[in-house]
Amino acid sequence: MREIPVQRAEQFYRPPPRLASDAWDHVPPAERVWRWYEHQAQRRLTVPSGMLLGKQVFARINHGRWVADCTCGSAQIVTPADPRFACPECGYGWVQVVFPKDPAAAEKAVTELVPAERNWWQAADTSWDRPPQPDEATRPQRQPRPGHPEGSAKLDLTLPDVPLPELPVPGLPDRKGV
Ligand SMILES: [Zn+2]
């Protein structure tokens, strides 16, 4: 089968067809999203200067692309060749993008899957879209709430004896009448 590479920023953010294919080759890979976004928005943008110290964002593979999420809810394609992130939507950044030590190994781990199923996260990443991990799956589950269908059997065994309301016994006079 033909190999379909995991996309990085420099392959994803390419100049529009009316420009030469190498028109953005001089732009650092992490800044190409800004050139690309300018074409989408049809307005000029000012790339932030300086880094936000101590701020990081995890890179993960999502649908066959290296992706990092912004605090504003946007996301962009990133690259280990220039592990920085600044968001053209809200202006957040620059922050350091945390890649695994061997990005090519992570790409290889998903290579057999079709692009839409290529998802991969770093061990410390707690991204919103990460499935539960094995250690979380074996953690004791919360007890079902009383009244919940799954909790009914347990409920019957654990409920204290509650006196039922007294019903009139056939053949005996109603208590109220005594
Ligand atoms: Zn943002």
Side-chain angles (χ1 to χ4, degrees), residues 70-72 74 87 89-92:
C70 184
T71 54
C72 75
S74 184
C87 176
E89 295 256 12
C90 73
Y92 180 69

Side-chain angles (χ1 to χ4, degrees), residues 143-156 158-159:
Q143 291 299 320
R145 283 172 295 146
H148 189 275
E150 292 169 16
S152 301
K154 175 117 181 158
L155 184 66
D156 291 339
T158 55
L159 263 185

Side-chain angles (χ1 to χ4, degrees), residues 55-120:
K55 300 288 185 187
Q56 297 181 327
V57 61
F58 279 109
R60 67 181 193 280
I61 298 176
N62 169 266
H63 288 198
R65 313 158 301 172
W66 281 107
V67 165
D69 288 321
C70 184
T71 54
C72 75
S74 184
Q76 64 181 251
I77 314 301
V78 290
T79 176
D82 185 2
R84 298 178 297 145
F85 175 100
C87 176
E89 295 256 12
C90 73
Y92 180 69
W94 294 92
V95 299
Q96 183 198 356
V97 181
V98 179
F99 274 90
K101 281 198 175 65
D102 187 355
E107 293 173 351
K108 199 168 188 324
V110 298
T111 195
E112 295 297 321
L113 302 169
V114 296
E117 292 173 5
R118 291 182 184 180
N119 300 308
W120 182 93

